[in-house]
Amino acid sequence: TATYAQSFDCSCAPAEYTFVFDFSLTCADETISNKPGVASYTCSDDGGDITPLHVTSYHIVETSADSTEETFSKAVQPPPQDNGDSFVYESAMNFPSPRILGLKVNLTGTDSGGSVVENNWEVTFTRECSIFPVLSVGDVSGWLRITGTVDPSVDACAGVDPNAPTPTPTVPPTFEPTITASPATPPAPPPPQPQTSTAGTSAATTTVPATALLLTLGKLLLFGAL
């Protein structure tokens, strides 16, 4: 986790800019001076009818928060740049360097009569760690529009949240039937069935033991003799 000496020790401006030339703009069209995180802003147009036909060079300087000297300077003399052309500028904060205090841009071109015209602007930042972004897509300054940016790292700017969730399409949840196992219930015993007798229908026969018959005959003979 990045730590900061104080809440005014960050570089929350873009780590990279994509600029597009728009020659219909003047300093009066700027959108930067009143933005949170901007400490100061100046812009000036010099020479000619102010509206360039081509830009013949540009010079970009970043200053360090620890001194007024240049941290990084990029001077470019490309082929003449026309209205709508673009270029990419990578900030010095991507390299080992002190925190960035400000950005200076100097544009030089020629107008329709061949006269040299210039547009110069400068912005300094408050370096507040809680303000992000500072400059963003759509901002305008001088003859330039910002059409693309790359965020600074969380080490440079505490306001950048590396854990911010990425929006994803909402997908309806899929529900599967749940089967819960439970002990089986034993089947109830079948009701008792009436039993069918296999016995015959003939009457029972009583058998008299032979000894009992003899005893009875003996008694009859005795009583007859008396």
Side-chain angles (χ1 to χ4, degrees):
T1 303
T3 57
Y4 307 89
Q6 54 182 332
S7 60
F8 290 83
D9 190 29
C10 292
S11 295
C12 292
E16 184 178 287
Y17 302 81
T18 299
F19 291 110
V20 172
F21 291 105
D22 186 340
F23 296 157
S24 68
L25 300 172
T26 67
C27 287
D29 298 310
E30 62 88 13
T31 61
I32 291 178
S33 59
N34 294 322
K35 298 196 70 172
V38 171
S40 64
Y41 175 82
T42 60
C43 182
S44 64
D45 298 301
D46 299 315
D49 63 4
I50 301 177
T51 303
L53 182 64
H54 304 289
V55 166
T56 55
S57 68
Y58 53 87
H59 185 198
I60 298 177
V61 174
E62 286 182 294
T63 53
S64 166
D66 301 322
S67 69
T68 58
E69 296 181 0
E70 296 178 355
T71 295
F72 189 73
S73 177
K74 182 177 182 178
V76 180
Q77 288 185 311
Q81 300 291 288
D82 295 328
N83 189 48
D85 288 346
S86 64
F87 66 94
V88 174
Y89 173 74
E90 185 177 5
S91 171
M93 75 170 65
N94 292 325
F95 309 97
S97 66
R99 303 294 184 193
I100 301 303
L101 174 63
L103 182 71
K104 299 178 182 178
V105 178
N106 306 108
L107 305 175
T108 301
T110 55
D111 65 13
S112 57
S115 299
V116 174
V117 290
E118 292 186 358
N119 175 252
N120 305 300
W121 55 272
E122 179 177 2
V123 58
T124 58
F125 306 119
T126 63
R127 299 172 55 237
E128 293 176 73
C129 295
S130 61
I131 298 178
F132 172 80
V134 179
L135 303 181
S136 54
V137 172
D139 280 332
V140 169
S141 183
W143 299 335
L144 296 174
R145 290 185 182 274
I146 299 175
T147 60
T149 61
V150 173
D151 293 344
S153 68
V154 70
D155 292 328
C157 176
V160 179
D161 182 5
N163 298 316
T166 301
T168 56
T170 301
V171 179
T174 300
F175 296 100
E176 296 291 340
T178 300
I179 301 174
T180 303
S182 59
T185 303
Q193 299 295 324
Q195 295 183 354
T196 304
S197 175
T198 59
T201 58
S202 59
T205 303
T206 303
T207 302
V208 179
T211 55
L213 181 59
L214 293 174
L215 181 60
T216 302
L217 291 174
K219 289 180 178 180
L220 291 175
L221 293 173
L222 178 62
F223 284 115
L226 295 177

Short mmCIF file of all heavy atoms in Angstrom, two decimals, residues 14 16-20 22 25 29-33 35 41 121 133-150:
data_model
loop_
_atom_site.label_atom_id
_atom_site.label_comp_id
_atom_site.label_asym_id
_atom_site.label_seq_id
_atom_site.Cartn_x
_atom_site.Cartn_y
_atom_site.Cartn_z
N PRO A 14 -2.85 13.01 -15.40
CA PRO A 14 -2.64 11.80 -16.21
C PRO A 14 -1.17 11.42 -16.34
O PRO A 14 -0.29 12.27 -16.39
CB PRO A 14 -3.25 12.18 -17.56
CG PRO A 14 -4.29 13.21 -17.23
CD PRO A 14 -3.69 14.01 -16.11
N GLU A 16 -0.32 9.84 -19.02
CA GLU A 16 -0.15 9.96 -20.48
C GLU A 16 -1.34 10.73 -21.04
O GLU A 16 -2.48 10.55 -20.58
CB GLU A 16 -0.06 8.58 -21.11
CG GLU A 16 0.23 8.60 -22.61
CD GLU A 16 0.37 7.19 -23.17
OE1 GLU A 16 1.40 6.53 -22.90
OE2 GLU A 16 -0.57 6.73 -23.85
N TYR A 17 -1.07 11.57 -22.01
CA TYR A 17 -2.11 12.37 -22.67
C TYR A 17 -2.14 12.07 -24.16
O TYR A 17 -1.09 11.89 -24.78
CB TYR A 17 -1.83 13.87 -22.54
CG TYR A 17 -1.70 14.44 -21.14
CD1 TYR A 17 -0.50 14.32 -20.44
CD2 TYR A 17 -2.75 15.13 -20.55
CE1 TYR A 17 -0.35 14.88 -19.17
CE2 TYR A 17 -2.62 15.70 -19.29
CZ TYR A 17 -1.42 15.56 -18.61
OH TYR A 17 -1.27 16.12 -17.35
N THR A 18 -3.32 12.07 -24.74
CA THR A 18 -3.46 12.16 -26.19
C THR A 18 -4.08 13.51 -26.49
O THR A 18 -5.19 13.82 -26.02
CB THR A 18 -4.35 11.04 -26.75
OG1 THR A 18 -3.76 9.77 -26.45
CG2 THR A 18 -4.50 11.18 -28.26
N PHE A 19 -3.35 14.35 -27.24
CA PHE A 19 -3.79 15.69 -27.60
C PHE A 19 -4.18 15.72 -29.07
O PHE A 19 -3.51 15.11 -29.92
CB PHE A 19 -2.69 16.71 -27.37
CG PHE A 19 -2.35 16.98 -25.93
CD1 PHE A 19 -1.14 16.54 -25.40
CD2 PHE A 19 -3.23 17.66 -25.10
CE1 PHE A 19 -0.80 16.79 -24.08
CE2 PHE A 19 -2.90 17.93 -23.77
CZ PHE A 19 -1.69 17.49 -23.26
N VAL A 20 -5.24 16.44 -29.40
CA VAL A 20 -5.65 16.67 -30.78
C VAL A 20 -5.65 18.18 -31.03
O VAL A 20 -6.19 18.95 -30.22
CB VAL A 20 -7.05 16.07 -31.05
CG1 VAL A 20 -7.55 16.50 -32.43
CG2 VAL A 20 -7.00 14.55 -30.96
N ASP A 22 -6.94 21.55 -32.43
CA ASP A 22 -8.21 22.14 -32.85
C ASP A 22 -7.97 23.63 -33.03
O ASP A 22 -7.93 24.39 -32.05
CB ASP A 22 -9.29 21.87 -31.81
CG ASP A 22 -10.68 22.33 -32.28
OD1 ASP A 22 -10.75 23.16 -33.21
OD2 ASP A 22 -11.69 21.86 -31.71
N LEU A 25 -10.03 26.80 -31.62
CA LEU A 25 -10.02 27.17 -30.21
C LEU A 25 -9.10 28.36 -29.96
O LEU A 25 -8.12 28.59 -30.67
CB LEU A 25 -9.55 25.99 -29.36
CG LEU A 25 -10.38 24.71 -29.43
CD1 LEU A 25 -9.66 23.58 -28.68
CD2 LEU A 25 -11.77 24.94 -28.86
N ASP A 29 -11.52 29.51 -24.61
CA ASP A 29 -12.31 28.28 -24.61
C ASP A 29 -11.84 27.25 -23.58
O ASP A 29 -12.43 26.17 -23.47
CB ASP A 29 -12.25 27.63 -26.01
CG ASP A 29 -12.84 28.51 -27.08
OD1 ASP A 29 -13.96 29.01 -26.89
OD2 ASP A 29 -12.17 28.71 -28.12
N GLU A 30 -10.81 27.60 -22.81
CA GLU A 30 -10.22 26.60 -21.91
C GLU A 30 -11.23 26.11 -20.86
O GLU A 30 -12.16 26.82 -20.48
CB GLU A 30 -8.98 27.18 -21.23
CG GLU A 30 -9.23 28.40 -20.35
CD GLU A 30 -9.59 28.04 -18.92
OE1 GLU A 30 -9.41 26.87 -18.52
OE2 GLU A 30 -10.06 28.93 -18.19
N THR A 31 -11.00 24.86 -20.38
CA THR A 31 -11.88 24.25 -19.39
C THR A 31 -11.11 23.78 -18.16
O THR A 31 -11.62 22.96 -17.38
CB THR A 31 -12.60 23.02 -20.00
OG1 THR A 31 -11.62 22.05 -20.39
CG2 THR A 31 -13.44 23.41 -21.20
N ILE A 32 -9.90 24.30 -17.97
CA ILE A 32 -9.01 23.76 -16.94
C ILE A 32 -8.94 24.62 -15.69
O ILE A 32 -8.83 24.10 -14.57
CB ILE A 32 -7.60 23.57 -17.54
CG1 ILE A 32 -7.62 22.44 -18.57
CG2 ILE A 32 -6.55 23.29 -16.47
CD1 ILE A 32 -6.29 22.20 -19.27
N SER A 33 -9.00 25.94 -15.83
CA SER A 33 -8.65 26.85 -14.74
C SER A 33 -9.47 26.65 -13.47
O SER A 33 -8.97 26.86 -12.36
CB SER A 33 -8.76 28.30 -15.20
OG SER A 33 -10.08 28.58 -15.64
N LYS A 35 -10.94 23.78 -12.41
CA LYS A 35 -11.09 22.39 -12.01
C LYS A 35 -10.48 22.14 -10.63
O LYS A 35 -9.45 22.71 -10.29
CB LYS A 35 -10.43 21.45 -13.04
CG LYS A 35 -11.03 21.52 -14.43
CD LYS A 35 -10.62 20.33 -15.27
CE LYS A 35 -11.28 19.07 -14.77
NZ LYS A 35 -11.04 17.92 -15.68
N TYR A 41 -3.53 28.62 -13.55
CA TYR A 41 -3.59 28.37 -14.99
C TYR A 41 -3.41 29.69 -15.72
O TYR A 41 -4.00 30.72 -15.35
CB TYR A 41 -4.94 27.75 -15.37
CG TYR A 41 -5.12 27.56 -16.87
CD1 TYR A 41 -4.59 26.46 -17.52
CD2 TYR A 41 -5.81 28.51 -17.62
CE1 TYR A 41 -4.74 26.29 -18.89
CE2 TYR A 41 -5.97 28.35 -18.99
CZ TYR A 41 -5.43 27.25 -19.61
OH TYR A 41 -5.58 27.10 -20.97
N TRP A 121 0.48 27.83 -22.82
CA TRP A 121 -0.32 27.71 -21.60
C TRP A 121 0.43 26.90 -20.55
O TRP A 121 1.32 26.13 -20.85
CB TRP A 121 -1.69 27.12 -21.88
CG TRP A 121 -1.77 25.79 -22.60
CD1 TRP A 121 -1.81 25.58 -23.93
CD2 TRP A 121 -1.85 24.49 -21.99
NE1 TRP A 121 -1.91 24.24 -24.21
CE2 TRP A 121 -1.95 23.54 -23.04
CE3 TRP A 121 -1.87 24.02 -20.68
CZ2 TRP A 121 -2.05 22.16 -22.80
CZ3 TRP A 121 -1.96 22.65 -20.44
CH2 TRP A 121 -2.06 21.74 -21.51
N PRO A 133 -10.00 12.36 -11.18
CA PRO A 133 -8.85 12.84 -11.98
C PRO A 133 -8.76 14.36 -11.93
O PRO A 133 -9.71 15.04 -11.56
CB PRO A 133 -9.21 12.36 -13.38
CG PRO A 133 -10.71 12.38 -13.40
CD PRO A 133 -11.14 11.98 -12.02
N VAL A 134 -7.60 14.86 -12.31
CA VAL A 134 -7.40 16.32 -12.38
C VAL A 134 -7.71 16.81 -13.78
O VAL A 134 -8.61 17.63 -13.98
CB VAL A 134 -5.97 16.70 -11.96
CG1 VAL A 134 -5.76 18.21 -12.06
CG2 VAL A 134 -5.69 16.22 -10.53
N LEU A 135 -6.99 16.34 -14.77
CA LEU A 135 -7.29 16.63 -16.17
C LEU A 135 -7.85 15.36 -16.80
O LEU A 135 -7.40 14.25 -16.48
CB LEU A 135 -6.04 17.09 -16.92
CG LEU A 135 -5.31 18.31 -16.35
CD1 LEU A 135 -4.11 18.67 -17.21
CD2 LEU A 135 -6.25 19.49 -16.22
N SER A 136 -8.81 15.50 -17.68
CA SER A 136 -9.49 14.31 -18.21
C SER A 136 -9.91 14.53 -19.66
O SER A 136 -9.83 15.65 -20.20
CB SER A 136 -10.69 13.95 -17.35
OG SER A 136 -11.55 15.07 -17.20
N VAL A 137 -10.40 13.46 -20.28
CA VAL A 137 -10.86 13.51 -21.66
C VAL A 137 -11.97 14.55 -21.78
O VAL A 137 -12.89 14.60 -20.97
CB VAL A 137 -11.37 12.13 -22.11
CG1 VAL A 137 -12.03 12.22 -23.48
CG2 VAL A 137 -10.22 11.12 -22.14
N GLY A 138 -11.84 15.40 -22.83
CA GLY A 138 -12.82 16.47 -23.04
C GLY A 138 -12.31 17.83 -22.64
O GLY A 138 -12.87 18.85 -23.06
N ASP A 139 -11.25 17.88 -21.81
CA ASP A 139 -10.71 19.17 -21.41
C ASP A 139 -10.03 19.85 -22.60
O ASP A 139 -9.50 19.19 -23.50
CB ASP A 139 -9.71 19.01 -20.26
CG ASP A 139 -10.41 18.85 -18.92
OD1 ASP A 139 -11.52 19.37 -18.77
OD2 ASP A 139 -9.83 18.22 -18.02
N VAL A 140 -10.07 21.18 -22.58
CA VAL A 140 -9.55 22.01 -23.67
C VAL A 140 -8.60 23.04 -23.10
O VAL A 140 -8.86 23.64 -22.06
CB VAL A 140 -10.71 22.71 -24.41
CG1 VAL A 140 -10.19 23.77 -25.37
CG2 VAL A 140 -11.58 21.70 -25.14
N SER A 141 -7.47 23.25 -23.80
CA SER A 141 -6.53 24.30 -23.43
C SER A 141 -5.79 24.76 -24.66
O SER A 141 -5.19 23.95 -25.37
CB SER A 141 -5.54 23.79 -22.38
OG SER A 141 -4.68 24.84 -21.97
N GLY A 142 -5.82 26.06 -24.93
CA GLY A 142 -5.16 26.59 -26.12
C GLY A 142 -5.70 25.96 -27.39
O GLY A 142 -6.91 25.87 -27.58
N TRP A 143 -4.80 25.48 -28.24
CA TRP A 143 -5.22 24.84 -29.49
C TRP A 143 -5.36 23.33 -29.36
O TRP A 143 -5.40 22.62 -30.37
CB TRP A 143 -4.18 25.13 -30.58
CG TRP A 143 -3.99 26.59 -30.89
CD1 TRP A 143 -4.89 27.60 -30.71
CD2 TRP A 143 -2.82 27.19 -31.45
NE1 TRP A 143 -4.36 28.79 -31.10
CE2 TRP A 143 -3.08 28.58 -31.56
CE3 TRP A 143 -1.57 26.71 -31.86
CZ2 TRP A 143 -2.14 29.47 -32.08
CZ3 TRP A 143 -0.64 27.60 -32.38
CH2 TRP A 143 -0.93 28.97 -32.48
N LEU A 144 -5.44 22.83 -28.15
CA LEU A 144 -5.44 21.39 -27.91
C LEU A 144 -6.69 20.91 -27.18
O LEU A 144 -7.18 21.57 -26.26
CB LEU A 144 -4.21 20.97 -27.10
CG LEU A 144 -2.84 21.20 -27.75
CD1 LEU A 144 -1.74 20.86 -26.76
CD2 LEU A 144 -2.70 20.33 -29.01
N ARG A 145 -7.16 19.75 -27.61
CA ARG A 145 -8.18 19.01 -26.88
C ARG A 145 -7.53 17.73 -26.33
O ARG A 145 -6.73 17.10 -27.01
CB ARG A 145 -9.34 18.61 -27.79
CG ARG A 145 -10.22 19.76 -28.26
CD ARG A 145 -11.41 19.23 -29.07
NE ARG A 145 -12.23 20.31 -29.56
CZ ARG A 145 -13.22 20.88 -28.86
NH1 ARG A 145 -13.49 20.42 -27.63
NH2 ARG A 145 -13.91 21.86 -29.36
N ILE A 146 -7.93 17.37 -25.12
CA ILE A 146 -7.49 16.09 -24.56
C ILE A 146 -8.51 15.03 -24.98
O ILE A 146 -9.69 15.11 -24.62
CB ILE A 146 -7.37 16.14 -23.03
CG1 ILE A 146 -6.34 17.19 -22.62
CG2 ILE A 146 -6.99 14.77 -22.47
CD1 ILE A 146 -6.23 17.39 -21.12
N THR A 147 -8.06 14.05 -25.75
CA THR A 147 -8.98 13.01 -26.23
C THR A 147 -8.66 11.63 -25.65
O THR A 147 -9.40 10.68 -25.90
CB THR A 147 -8.94 12.92 -27.77
OG1 THR A 147 -7.60 12.60 -28.18
CG2 THR A 147 -9.37 14.23 -28.39
N GLY A 148 -7.59 11.53 -24.89
CA GLY A 148 -7.25 10.25 -24.26
C GLY A 148 -6.31 10.49 -23.10
O GLY A 148 -5.49 11.41 -23.13
N THR A 149 -6.45 9.68 -22.05
CA THR A 149 -5.55 9.75 -20.90
C THR A 149 -5.27 8.35 -20.39
O THR A 149 -6.03 7.41 -20.63
CB THR A 149 -6.16 10.58 -19.74
OG1 THR A 149 -7.37 9.96 -19.30
CG2 THR A 149 -6.41 12.02 -20.16
N VAL A 150 -4.17 8.22 -19.66
CA VAL A 150 -3.84 7.01 -18.91
C VAL A 150 -3.73 7.43 -17.46
O VAL A 150 -3.04 8.40 -17.13
CB VAL A 150 -2.53 6.37 -19.41
CG1 VAL A 150 -2.13 5.21 -18.49
CG2 VAL A 150 -2.68 5.89 -20.84
#
